[in-house]
Amino acid sequence: RLGHHSSIFDMVMQIEPTVAERKSVAKKKKPKKASSTVKAGNSSPSPTSEVVPGSREECKKKKKKKNPGAKPKAKTASPKAIGIKKEPSKKKKKSQLIKNSGSDSSFNLNTSTPVAAGNNSFRVNFDGSVSPASSAGDSRELKDMPEMPLEHKLEVGGADVDEEKGGEATLEDHTNEPSPELEQRSPPCWTCKKVVCWSSLLVIITAAVVVPCYFFLIAPSEESPSDDFPKISSQASGTIVAEMPQTICNEWIPGQGKSNGCSAAETTEHGGLLCNLVAKSMLNTTVSVDMALINAGVCLQDIEAPDLTVDEIYQSIASQDLVVVDIPGVDVVNLLYDAASTTFGPSGDPQSYPYSAGLRFVMKANLDPSERVSNIEVNRGLNSGFWEPIDIRRYYKVMTTAELASGGMGYFSFSHVIDRWKTLVNLQTIDAFYNFAKDSEEWWMLPEEAYSTQRFVGENEDPKLATVPSRICHALTPGEPESQFCSAEDVANGGGVCSLVAWSLYDQIFGVDMVLIKGGLCAGDIPEGKFGERTVDTFLSENPDLVTISLTGREITLTVEEGISAAIDLGLKGAYPYAAGLRFNVDVTQPLGSRASNIEIITATGSWVPLSSTTTYTVLTTPDLAEGEDPNFQFIMTADKSSIQYLFTTVKDVFLQYATDWEILYHPPKEKESTLSYV
């Protein structure tokens, strides 16, 4: 009977989903008939016409109820308050269904309701006729209506029609007796449905983003080597793993002397080879990491050539589980300081000394704890020959032992890392070394730049400041060496030590024209080899302050003459003058006051010019000369003492800075010696 117009009834059922309930309630209540009527076919809705539940009109009406300040409008019977009573009368019939074969248009059975079909809008009247819609607003109402499920029972809502009364439809008014049951069953507003729809979509999108991020970025990694990775436990103890042409020495602290196969001198610079190789082997597992870090206690003894057996690996390397830790660069730096503080000192533990691969540093154990580690560099995974300073803001993957990862052996910074960033690897130190030695060619060799300790200074060792290629001889007067290691020819123009000291002061102190000191300031040779801070005390007799004073050329000449006379005539060799930026010839056969000749001064361009007797020069010297405290120097006492300025530094401090800057110390060239010739 419905034919192909089932879509009409679907729509009707969604508009009136609770008609059966209304009829049931209406029969129970037996309400009075409403006196209001509407004409069928009227072009505009009546105030009492039924409002579709869930439509925009109902939403607007609810908003008006929530706004008590709004201006009241004409009262319209709510669809929730309208009872539908069906009276079986032969003179009455329901609104007719209109068949529109060949068209997909939808129709509304309620009177005065427009129907949109395509681009046209028309109205179905109770008499069966169709008329155009009166306004665009009528057409828009039906477009917004939702479809109704087909499986609902068809209930035609609206008014009963009485043909004898000219097509009038009667309404039964139940405004005085609202139905709570119907109020609860009212469909929600369309706006609410949209909010729920968008909220659900937002939840789905959020879940799609957050869940992958959790598993990829936050969730703990389950990365671990495959169970198929060869384990040393599968091999017999006597199995030969590899061959090596040399003994692999084990040393905890560089130069400690623990190794039986290597001398302390062989391990002083970089430490033991074994721990360096163990750390490197930890980079060659199935887990990709940036660096490896172990403590010296992992290595137990030397591995002697020529064969490496499984049993030797067990005896030489402690078996410890491996852990990968994600840690920032600043904590890697702190780990090295932790290890240094735990290793050195009165209660230090040599087994805590750090060894690493992909990470290198300079260790100076004789400095304060906050200065012991320097020049920290990284070569991630040793995948290139390029080393770069560690980035304290970057995160690195560090392979280490389970003991260190928990903050053991004094590596406290590991304990600050949360457990989520620590991944236990299905390998041990001996497994990593076993596979490294088995699969690598020339595995026993390690280039110098790959050692973790690039330079080491012991706790009681004098820090190296410079290198002395050859011995620098000391002499108070020319031709008379003060040590058995030097000849008269070595000091023919005077001692090289005092000449070097004078030129070091001239190099470091700016704004002076020359330096003038006495030979007695120097006390010994500077030996060949490493030069350290303590070496200064062996060739300086004292450590006086430095001052500047303004002297004329004549005063400078007379001071030099007095120094030569005191050394030759009085036998006070320590009074012999040494200078930088000033040079002269000495002839002791000449009378007093004429022994120094050809006195020259160096200019800013490096050329030498005669000393002017009337020109005032700024002279760097010691307080005993400037203040006239030495009785052998009388003429300098007449100089202007108001020009004296203390520099608040000492000879030793300036010389140490000079040695640090130049790194190589040697005897000054002959043209720079203050005594050009000595007769």
Side-chain angles (χ1 to χ4, degrees), residues 56 71 117 200 254 288 319 330 382 465 496 515 582 626-627:
R56 293 186 176 179
K71 184 178 180 180
S200 301
S288 177
S319 179
V330 64
L382 290 178
L465 302 179
V515 176
L582 181 75
E627 298 284 357

Side-chain angles (χ1 to χ4, degrees), residues 225-247:
S226 171
D227 292 336
D228 296 333
F229 192 78
K231 304 292 180 61
I232 192 173
S233 58
S234 63
Q235 303 296 320
S237 61
T239 303
I240 298 177
V241 179
E243 295 181 353
M244 52 190 177
Q246 63 186 32
T247 296

Side-chain angles (χ1 to χ4, degrees), residues 401-449:
T401 62
E403 182 180 15
L404 297 190
S406 61
M409 298 300 296
Y411 289 67
F412 305 114
S413 295
F414 269 133
S415 62
H416 302 158
V417 181
I418 61 176
D419 292 339
R420 185 180 298 276
W421 293 348
K422 299 176 182 178
T423 304
L424 182 64
V425 180
N426 187 25
L427 276 180
Q428 292 185 330
T429 49
I430 53 177
D431 295 322
F433 190 82
Y434 163 73
N435 284 276
F436 172 71
K438 178 174 64 71
D439 299 334
S440 303
E441 296 182 0
E442 297 184 346
W443 57 273
W444 63 88
M445 297 184 64
L446 192 67
E448 185 174 352
E449 64 272 11

Side-chain angles (χ1 to χ4, degrees), residues 10 17 109-110 176 257 281 310 408 465 546 593 602 670-671:
D10 293 343
L109 298 183
N110 292 333
N176 295 328
S281 71
V310 169
L465 302 179
L546 292 173
I602 194 170
K670 184 176 181 179
E671 64 271 13

Side-chain angles (χ1 to χ4, degrees), residues 353-643:
Y353 189 82
Y355 282 88
S356 58
L359 175 71
R360 67 184 188 184
F361 48 86
V362 172
M363 181 69 72
K364 297 180 180 179
N366 60 338
L367 300 181
D368 293 336
S370 61
E371 300 175 350
R372 287 172 176 165
V373 186
S374 60
N375 295 22
I376 303 174
E377 296 179 318
V378 174
N379 181 355
R380 300 175 60 193
L382 290 178
N383 292 323
S384 67
F386 179 71
W387 291 83
E388 60 183 358
I390 190 169
D391 187 347
I392 61 175
R393 293 178 295 272
R394 181 173 188 166
Y395 272 77
Y396 295 93
K397 282 187 175 294
V398 180
M399 179 77 79
T400 187
T401 62
E403 182 180 15
L404 297 190
S406 61
M409 298 300 296
Y411 289 67
F412 305 114
S413 295
F414 269 133
S415 62
H416 302 158
V417 181
I418 61 176
D419 292 339
R420 185 180 298 276
W421 293 348
K422 299 176 182 178
T423 304
L424 182 64
V425 180
N426 187 25
L427 276 180
Q428 292 185 330
T429 49
I430 53 177
D431 295 322
F433 190 82
Y434 163 73
N435 284 276
F436 172 71
K438 178 174 64 71
D439 299 334
S440 303
E441 296 182 0
E442 297 184 346
W443 57 273
W444 63 88
M445 297 184 64
L446 192 67
E448 185 174 352
E449 64 272 11
Y451 279 87
S452 56
T453 302
Q454 286 292 291
R455 180 184 168 195
F456 179 79
V457 178
E459 280 187 275
N460 302 318
E461 186 178 346
D462 190 22
K464 179 182 177 182
L465 302 179
T467 301
V468 182
S470 61
R471 177 179 289 270
I472 302 175
C473 297
H474 166 59
L476 295 176
T477 57
E480 299 181 9
E482 295 293 324
S483 74
Q484 60 181 355
F485 300 103
C486 300
S487 64
E489 185 179 355
D490 294 332
V491 294
N493 298 95
V497 175
C498 270
S499 291
L500 178 61
V501 171
W503 277 104
S504 69
L505 300 178
Y506 184 86
D507 177 83
Q508 294 293 309
I509 305 299
F510 297 96
V512 298
D513 297 311
M514 67 187 72
V515 176
L516 186 60
I517 59 175
K518 297 184 297 183
L521 180 61
C522 304
D525 297 346
I526 300 178
E528 177 184 353
K530 184 180 68 174
F531 178 86
E533 182 176 348
R534 298 173 187 171
T535 310
V536 179
D537 299 330
T538 65
F539 65 83
L540 287 180
S541 61
E542 56 180 333
N543 184 29
D545 294 330
L546 292 173
V547 298
T548 59
I549 185 173
S550 297
L551 299 175
T552 63
R554 181 177 177 276
E555 292 172 333
I556 294 171
T557 301
L558 292 175
T559 300
V560 171
E561 285 284 355
E562 285 184 321
I564 295 173
S565 176
I568 302 302
D569 299 334
L570 303 178
L572 301 175
K573 295 182 179 181
Y576 191 86
Y578 283 85
L582 181 75
R583 65 185 185 180
F584 44 83
N585 296 325
V586 177
D587 186 353
V588 297
T589 63
Q590 297 296 321
L592 180 64
S594 301
R595 292 171 175 169
S597 61
N598 298 330
I599 302 177
E600 295 178 323
I601 184 173
I602 194 170
T603 65
T605 59
S607 61
W608 294 87
V609 298
L611 181 71
S612 173
S613 60
T614 59
T615 302
T616 300
Y617 300 94
T618 300
V619 181
L620 178 68
T621 186
T622 56
D624 61 331
L625 278 178
E627 298 284 357
E629 297 176 358
D630 191 332
N632 298 305
F633 295 87
Q634 298 294 321
F635 288 102
I636 200 172
M637 293 181 182
T638 63
D640 183 11
K641 299 297 187 296
S642 64
S643 64

Side-chain angles (χ1 to χ4, degrees), residues 16 22 57 109 118 123 170 208 239 253 265 268 299 333 341 343 352 407-408 411 436-437 468 546 594 623 629 657 666:
E16 290 286 339
R22 294 178 181 177
E57 284 75 19
L109 298 183
R123 185 181 312 281
T170 61
T239 303
I253 298 177
T268 298
C299 304
V333 174
S341 298
T343 302
S352 295
Y411 289 67
F436 172 71
V468 182
L546 292 173
S594 301
E629 297 176 358
Q657 187 60 49
Y666 53 87

